[in-house]
Amino acid sequence: MDWTIEELNHLAAECSCGLTHHPIEIREIVVEPDALRRAAAFVKSSFQHVCIFADANTFRAAGQELANRLKELAVTLSVCIMEPDVNGDVVADERTLVQGFLACSPQTEAILAVGAGTVHDIARFCSFKMRIPFISIPTAASVDGFTSAGAPLIVRGVKQTFQTQAPIAVFSDVNVLVQAPRRLAASGFGDMIGKFTSLADWNFGHLVADEPYCPWIATLTAKALETCVDHVHEIQAGGPEGISILMRALILSGLAMLLFGQSYPASGGEHHLSHDWEMELLRTGKPQVLHGLKVGAASVVIAETYKKNVLAVMQSLEGRSGQEGYAERVEAVSHLLAGLPSADDIRAWIRLAGGVEEPAELGIDAALVAASLTRAHRLRNRYTMLRFLNEPMSFHKENA
Ligand SMILES: [Zn+2]
Ligand SMILES: [Zn+2]
């Protein structure tokens, strides 16, 4: 990896942006073949009794081997295999949470999350409530949230994000990652390609509504995105090299959020659209769609909408915005939008990575896309271009 936790923490402490950055407290981040062996050694060095959280697929992919290694090292363990719902999805809801709590005992010293996003969200929440640490063992390069402290959970049918804790270590075994279904890596790529619009939204919020912004952290995320785009062919091929590049980029994007303390760098209008679609799929009892596939398709819609409308609306407000230096702000936004890739470019990259370009292919119809564009900005208190297009005169500083 071309960065270490120590280096990032050092740069964060030296950052001149004027904001307080949160040092990363993760002790070890490993992306390499045979990381499961290192995970077992790490667990043995600190704990005697642990609980593995997995689903049936991820237990087969990595959980069983990890359990065997831990037994050889005389670590005692319990296992929680999360049950899928009627659609075959493992969902981070009340039922799965209780399953997680029941698998732990008062002796459990740490939870090992062996799986993708949902398994992590359950492990994050349960370990936080039990005041014990959790260790991240991703089985697919599918999302950028492994190192996150936020746990999005569905409670009584409504998705809410709870602030919990980040893992104390991440062991990502490349031999396991390359065995995961291809659409999971395509989803990870979609989550990364969404950073084009999330970074543009973050910059926009800073330029127009004085939202907090750190150029250094924005650059970290942009670099992670750039490596993915530069290596899209290797990522699509699904070999150890491409999948390692994708996983490292996802982890770096997650660390950028941790350093900033909020999700601004990695989540803008495209994520809000994706959350809106997810809630509608839930409400109507439809099967869930992988997070990054939705984000990728949403970033196409968002890039198209922003390029077409934002500058025109800003120019139409000239003279009645009542905002200091408005003309300069319009100028800066014009540069920002010129630097945003077109919807067609984003489509092409998604296609190269084997992802999904059109919401319709994910079961999200045109009516839902249109409705989400008029309401998804309300899901987060954040000044995105999506909010601007819906509420153009609300330039006030948001404190989300
Ligand atoms: Zn900074
Ligand atoms: Zn995401």
Side-chain angles (χ1 to χ4, degrees), residues 24 47 79 102 122 160 191 209 239 243 268 330 336:
I24 299 162
F47 308 108
V79 174
L102 289 174
I122 300 285
Q160 288 170 262
D191 207 11
I243 296 296
V330 175
L336 173 67

mmCIF file of all heavy atoms in Angstrom, residues 24 47 79 102 122 160 191 209 239 243 268 330 336:
data_model
loop_
_atom_site.group_PDB
_atom_site.id
_atom_site.type_symbol
_atom_site.label_atom_id
_atom_site.label_comp_id
_atom_site.label_asym_id
_atom_site.label_seq_id
_atom_site.Cartn_x
_atom_site.Cartn_y
_atom_site.Cartn_z
ATOM 1 N N ILE A 24 -6.803 7.976 13.126
ATOM 2 C CA ILE A 24 -7.300 6.613 12.906
ATOM 3 C C ILE A 24 -6.774 5.738 14.033
ATOM 4 O O ILE A 24 -5.572 5.719 14.296
ATOM 5 C CB ILE A 24 -6.793 6.088 11.544
ATOM 6 C CG1 ILE A 24 -7.320 6.974 10.408
ATOM 7 C CG2 ILE A 24 -7.202 4.638 11.327
ATOM 8 C CD1 ILE A 24 -6.541 6.802 9.120
ATOM 9 N N PHE A 47 -6.866 -12.062 22.527
ATOM 10 C CA PHE A 47 -8.140 -12.580 23.045
ATOM 11 C C PHE A 47 -8.113 -14.097 23.256
ATOM 12 O O PHE A 47 -7.415 -14.816 22.542
ATOM 13 C CB PHE A 47 -9.283 -12.241 22.082
ATOM 14 C CG PHE A 47 -9.343 -10.778 21.716
ATOM 15 C CD1 PHE A 47 -8.980 -10.348 20.439
ATOM 16 C CD2 PHE A 47 -9.750 -9.830 22.641
ATOM 17 C CE1 PHE A 47 -9.007 -8.997 20.096
ATOM 18 C CE2 PHE A 47 -9.783 -8.479 22.315
ATOM 19 C CZ PHE A 47 -9.412 -8.062 21.038
ATOM 20 N N VAL A 79 -19.998 -19.277 16.956
ATOM 21 C CA VAL A 79 -20.225 -18.851 15.577
ATOM 22 C C VAL A 79 -21.681 -18.434 15.416
ATOM 23 O O VAL A 79 -22.584 -19.101 15.919
ATOM 24 C CB VAL A 79 -19.900 -20.002 14.590
ATOM 25 C CG1 VAL A 79 -20.268 -19.615 13.167
ATOM 26 C CG2 VAL A 79 -18.422 -20.378 14.655
ATOM 27 N N LEU A 102 -27.442 -13.132 20.702
ATOM 28 C CA LEU A 102 -27.639 -14.453 21.304
ATOM 29 C C LEU A 102 -26.411 -15.356 21.109
ATOM 30 O O LEU A 102 -26.165 -16.242 21.923
ATOM 31 C CB LEU A 102 -28.878 -15.139 20.719
ATOM 32 C CG LEU A 102 -30.216 -14.532 21.135
ATOM 33 C CD1 LEU A 102 -31.357 -15.190 20.386
ATOM 34 C CD2 LEU A 102 -30.430 -14.644 22.643
ATOM 35 N N ILE A 122 -23.898 -5.515 11.486
ATOM 36 C CA ILE A 122 -24.393 -6.228 12.668
ATOM 37 C C ILE A 122 -23.278 -6.351 13.720
ATOM 38 O O ILE A 122 -23.494 -6.089 14.905
ATOM 39 C CB ILE A 122 -24.905 -7.643 12.275
ATOM 40 C CG1 ILE A 122 -26.049 -7.547 11.263
ATOM 41 C CG2 ILE A 122 -25.323 -8.440 13.495
ATOM 42 C CD1 ILE A 122 -27.363 -7.110 11.833
ATOM 43 N N GLN A 160 -31.809 3.533 9.352
ATOM 44 C CA GLN A 160 -31.197 4.615 10.112
ATOM 45 C C GLN A 160 -29.734 4.260 10.322
ATOM 46 O O GLN A 160 -29.405 3.091 10.493
ATOM 47 C CB GLN A 160 -31.788 4.685 11.525
ATOM 48 C CG GLN A 160 -33.185 5.197 11.637
ATOM 49 C CD GLN A 160 -33.676 4.948 13.061
ATOM 50 O OE1 GLN A 160 -34.365 3.970 13.308
ATOM 51 N NE2 GLN A 160 -33.298 5.811 13.986
ATOM 52 N N ASP A 191 -19.338 1.773 -6.007
ATOM 53 C CA ASP A 191 -19.235 2.632 -4.820
ATOM 54 C C ASP A 191 -18.116 3.649 -5.027
ATOM 55 O O ASP A 191 -18.243 4.816 -4.644
ATOM 56 C CB ASP A 191 -18.954 1.763 -3.577
ATOM 57 C CG ASP A 191 -19.458 2.399 -2.282
ATOM 58 O OD1 ASP A 191 -20.205 3.392 -2.351
ATOM 59 O OD2 ASP A 191 -19.099 1.896 -1.204
ATOM 60 N N ALA A 209 -22.247 27.022 0.121
ATOM 61 C CA ALA A 209 -22.908 27.120 1.429
ATOM 62 C C ALA A 209 -21.917 27.056 2.587
ATOM 63 O O ALA A 209 -22.311 26.823 3.734
ATOM 64 C CB ALA A 209 -23.946 26.007 1.564
ATOM 65 N N GLY A 239 -8.545 -10.741 -11.034
ATOM 66 C CA GLY A 239 -7.368 -11.422 -10.478
ATOM 67 C C GLY A 239 -6.884 -10.737 -9.202
ATOM 68 O O GLY A 239 -7.410 -9.692 -8.814
ATOM 69 N N ILE A 243 -8.105 -6.923 -7.863
ATOM 70 C CA ILE A 243 -8.969 -6.933 -6.678
ATOM 71 C C ILE A 243 -8.272 -6.279 -5.484
ATOM 72 O O ILE A 243 -8.897 -5.592 -4.680
ATOM 73 C CB ILE A 243 -9.419 -8.386 -6.352
ATOM 74 C CG1 ILE A 243 -10.293 -8.934 -7.498
ATOM 75 C CG2 ILE A 243 -10.157 -8.463 -5.027
ATOM 76 C CD1 ILE A 243 -11.609 -8.198 -7.725
ATOM 77 N N GLY A 268 -22.513 11.720 -1.633
ATOM 78 C CA GLY A 268 -23.233 12.918 -2.052
ATOM 79 C C GLY A 268 -24.588 12.540 -2.613
ATOM 80 O O GLY A 268 -25.178 11.527 -2.220
ATOM 81 N N VAL A 330 -20.201 31.338 -8.743
ATOM 82 C CA VAL A 330 -20.731 30.734 -9.970
ATOM 83 C C VAL A 330 -19.562 30.289 -10.866
ATOM 84 O O VAL A 330 -19.571 29.187 -11.419
ATOM 85 C CB VAL A 330 -21.642 31.727 -10.727
ATOM 86 C CG1 VAL A 330 -22.097 31.140 -12.061
ATOM 87 C CG2 VAL A 330 -22.859 32.105 -9.876
ATOM 88 N N LEU A 336 -15.853 23.498 -11.515
ATOM 89 C CA LEU A 336 -16.117 22.222 -10.842
ATOM 90 C C LEU A 336 -16.905 21.291 -11.762
ATOM 91 O O LEU A 336 -16.574 20.113 -11.928
ATOM 92 C CB LEU A 336 -16.908 22.528 -9.560
ATOM 93 C CG LEU A 336 -17.451 21.378 -8.741
ATOM 94 C CD1 LEU A 336 -16.297 20.614 -8.133
ATOM 95 C CD2 LEU A 336 -18.344 21.914 -7.625
#
